[in-house]
Amino acid sequence: MTLSLTVSDEVRALAPGFTHVAIEAHGLVNGPSTEASAELLDDAARRLAVRLDGRAPHEDPHMAAWREVYTAFGSKPSRTRNSAEALAKRALSEAGLPRINLLVDLYNAISVAHLIPVGGEDIDRIEGGMHLVRATGEEDFVTVAGGEEAVEHPDAGEVVWRDDAGVTCRRWNWRQGPRTRLTEQTTAGIFLLESMAPMPVAEVEQAATELAELLQKFSPGAQIMLRPSTAVQQRP
């Protein structure tokens, strides 16, 4: 069954250069990070360093475009960075990239290597479809604070991913909630690659193909469906 993904007209108007490619996968095998996934992360950091050639991540034209959009919906991009910029900073630091679990390592490696925000959601934990919208400010975002479950609310006008139960990711791709995260028990996932002009659409599609191939390699029996940007529906 194909998961419904929609992007609101309000978001399209805010960011007309937005491109979104998704990969839907069933029959995945997840588990702890492995030596192979760690090598992918290390290689991604090397590819990033070559790509930036001494520049800071925010100086890359793609990251600059994301910063402009974050500012447009009222977020401070130097404090709440898009996920690719945040990962890139970690990749270039002494600490390096975190090892989370196998599936998260795979999509983090693609995000860093291509400097594209990439996220993963557990399809079995999503209620209804996934919608990229501008928040009213009344939606629930269930997170964890101080080791306890807590409910936050996005700012009015903030761009969020949400399903029928509430917000799954705040400030576009800044912070994902724990409810739909990929865990070691995940067997079905939706992987979201997001970009802004001036990044060529072909580069986003190349990154998606690379991720799909990695998913197939590490979960040989999985059903992998690449859903290009044209397959993402708009909604009022």
Side-chain angles (χ1 to χ4, degrees):
M1 182 176 178
T2 300
L3 180 73
S4 172
L5 294 171
T6 63
V7 179
S8 74
D9 287 341
E10 285 186 328
V11 172
R12 294 289 187 188
L14 177 74
F18 174 59
T19 298
H20 176 192
V21 181
I23 301 167
E24 186 169 340
H26 296 265
L28 294 168
V29 178
N30 200 10
S33 298
T34 65
E35 184 176 339
S37 70
E39 288 177 357
L40 285 170
L41 291 169
D42 290 340
D43 181 62
R46 288 189 289 269
R47 291 168 67 181
L48 173 68
V50 171
R51 182 188 192 95
L52 290 174
D53 191 25
R55 294 173 297 167
H58 70 268
E59 295 176 297
D60 179 86
H62 187 215
M63 295 297 93
W66 274 103
R67 283 191 165 217
E68 288 179 8
V69 172
Y70 268 51
T71 300
F73 67 76
S75 183
K76 294 182 178 179
S78 59
R79 288 176 52 192
T80 56
R81 297 177 176 89
N82 74 80
S83 64
E85 184 182 333
L87 269 180
K89 283 181 66 66
R90 294 196 66 172
L92 298 173
S93 72
E94 287 188 11
L97 290 166
R99 277 58 168 160
I100 307 298
N101 61 53
L102 179 58
L103 291 177
V104 175
D105 289 353
L106 296 185
Y107 79 68
N108 278 349
I110 295 300
S111 176
V112 169
H114 292 271
L115 210 50
I116 296 172
V118 184
E121 309 273 355
D122 189 321
I123 289 177
D124 293 330
R125 296 172 180 267
I126 295 170
E127 298 192 24
M130 294 286 294
H131 312 293
L132 187 64
V133 301
R134 299 198 70 174
T136 65
E138 298 178 357
E139 299 90 346
D140 287 344
F141 177 70
V142 180
T143 185
V144 175
E148 299 290 335
E149 184 176 288
V151 178
E152 299 177 355
H153 303 283
D155 299 327
E158 181 182 322
V159 177
V160 298
W161 278 103
R162 65 158 301 157
D163 65 2
D164 292 352
V167 172
T168 59
C169 195
R170 285 199 59 187
R171 292 178 185 152
W172 211 312
N173 48 50
W174 166 65
R175 179 156 54 119
Q176 184 183 26
R179 174 169 60 90
T180 58
R181 284 177 184 163
L182 302 179
T183 69
E184 293 184 16
Q185 289 70 48
T186 297
T187 59
I190 188 81
F191 300 85
L192 313 169
L193 295 88
E194 303 176 298
S195 73
M196 298 284 174
M199 176 167 279
V201 173
E203 184 167 355
V204 188
E205 292 174 341
Q206 177 186 345
T209 298
E210 190 176 331
L211 178 54
E213 290 172 350
L214 286 175
L215 292 171
Q216 196 74 73
K217 176 182 178 180
F218 285 88
S219 296
Q223 295 177 308
I224 312 291
M225 181 172 61
L226 191 63
R227 298 170 60 178
S229 180
T230 53
V232 179
Q233 303 170 349
Q234 286 183 277
R235 75 170 196 172

